[in-house]
Amino acid sequence: MEVVILPGSKQIASLAADAVEALLRRKPDAVLGLATGSTPLPVYVELAARHERAGLDFSRVRAFALDEYVGLPAGHPESYREVIAREFTARVNISPANVHVPDGAAADIPAACRAYEDAIRDAGGVDLQLLGVGTDGHIGFNEPGSSLASRTRIKTLIEQTRRDNARFFGSLADVPHHVLTQGLGTILDARHVILIATGAQKAQAVRDLAEGPVAAICAASVLQLHPHATILLDEAAASSLRLADYYRHSYDHKPAWQGL
Ligand code: GLP
């Protein structure tokens, strides 16, 4: 796990976009794993700008969202299918047919989850997975207690997460209780994982995920088992880390050839 502490979200967005750009130049038909939430938005803005300005080409890219609410009507503005399109994929040249989101409206939920796992596998697996983190340490919607080997499935949201996400819905009552999410085992299969956290409200989750034990009580701690996980933080999100000075020193002295 590499922890990189940067001054703010602009620098984080630029570094994460560099990683996506390097991947697309190497592999134009790469498979991207996309996260929702507010944290990755500056990355999407930066990628859209690079597409606009420099022709960064997404025409052959395939994309898989991490998760989706269960039970929202098709076209609901806060469904993650809509959010991902609005915030990112419609602003670059990814074909809508290549953007996959778990089907939270499926009549047969277990079958929809299996189909999602199959689709990721048939695409060759995720090359680069972007992640945010919940204040309770969830990634995707893998709430505390999630199996570290879990695959795409239905989960029940913890009330803290519903409260955190109520700002998007207007009222807490409108936030669904159930979601579909890639499992922790699914996320671990991605070849490279970049988790971004900003703001003091994420400091405890960041400490738990990077420096705590690998334990289901902090789902994101499973990334300690990933061979290529990069954690991009601003100063506030990094403020509770014990080894912050070591992370800064390592990044400052990183061999130039290594990249992210
Ligand atoms: C939601 C998403 C997560 C995201 C989290 C944090 O619960 N399912 O993928 O990481 O919110 O959101 P934010 O980045 O807005 O803090």
Side-chain angles (χ1 to χ4, degrees):
M1 176 176 276
E2 178 180 27
V3 178
V4 182
I5 303 168
L6 294 162
S9 46
K10 208 169 151 44
Q11 292 84 353
I12 291 174
S14 167
L15 197 59
D18 286 350
V20 174
E21 180 167 351
L23 171 66
L24 297 192
R25 300 222 180 272
R26 192 174 78 243
K27 185 177 179 185
D29 64 344
V31 178
L32 298 180
L34 302 178
T36 50
S38 45
T39 311
L41 295 181
V43 182
Y44 299 146
V45 169
E46 176 62 21
L47 288 171
R50 291 184 191 196
H51 169 67
E52 210 39 50
R53 267 196 329 255
L56 183 60
D57 183 22
F58 292 82
S59 59
R60 295 173 60 198
V61 163
R62 283 81 45 81
F64 287 86
L66 275 171
D67 45 13
E68 179 59 289
Y69 292 105
V70 169
L72 294 182
H76 188 290
E78 292 310 324
S79 72
Y80 282 170
R81 176 171 288 284
E82 292 294 315
V83 171
I84 284 287
R86 188 169 66 231
E87 302 293 355
F88 180 47
T89 56
R91 298 158 74 174
V92 296
N93 60 333
I94 300 187
S95 156
N98 286 344
V99 180
H100 304 269
V101 182
D103 183 3
D108 185 341
I109 292 279
C113 293
R114 281 195 300 276
Y116 203 62
E117 288 280 329
D118 290 347
I120 295 172
R121 202 183 42 245
D122 292 348
V126 172
D127 291 296
L128 176 52
Q129 176 67 58
L130 290 173
L131 293 174
V133 63
T135 53
D136 63 2
H138 73 243
I139 48 177
F141 269 133
N142 291 279
E143 294 285 31
S146 289
S147 159
L148 303 183
S150 49
R151 312 302 304 188
T152 303
R153 69 214 184 290
I154 192 167
K155 287 292 288 182
T156 304
L157 292 181
I158 280 185
E159 281 304 291
Q160 182 180 329
T161 301
R162 292 186 65 246
R163 279 196 300 276
D164 286 347
N165 289 358
R167 67 188 194 280
F168 297 112
F169 284 85
S171 95
L172 179 60
D174 292 335
V175 184
H177 287 271
H178 292 109
V179 292
L180 303 187
T181 181
Q182 288 188 31
L184 296 174
T186 319
I187 293 168
L188 282 183
D189 285 346
R191 293 180 188 91
H192 182 196
V193 172
I194 296 181
L195 181 147
I196 299 173
T198 52
Q201 74 283 6
K202 299 291 173 67
Q204 185 62 47
V206 165
R207 169 147 181 186
D208 290 345
L209 82 88
E211 297 180 340
V214 176
I217 193 70
C218 175
S221 67
V222 77
L223 297 179
Q224 293 177 37
L225 298 173
H226 195 286
H228 192 184
T230 306
I231 313 296
L232 302 182
L233 305 173
D234 68 0
E235 292 287 347
S239 58
S240 296
L241 290 172
R242 286 175 51 194
L243 299 180
D245 287 344
Y246 172 60
Y247 306 138
R248 286 194 185 90
H249 175 85
S250 303
Y251 190 64
D252 288 347
H253 294 86
K254 190 169 176 169
W257 53 263
Q258 219 173 12
L260 262 198

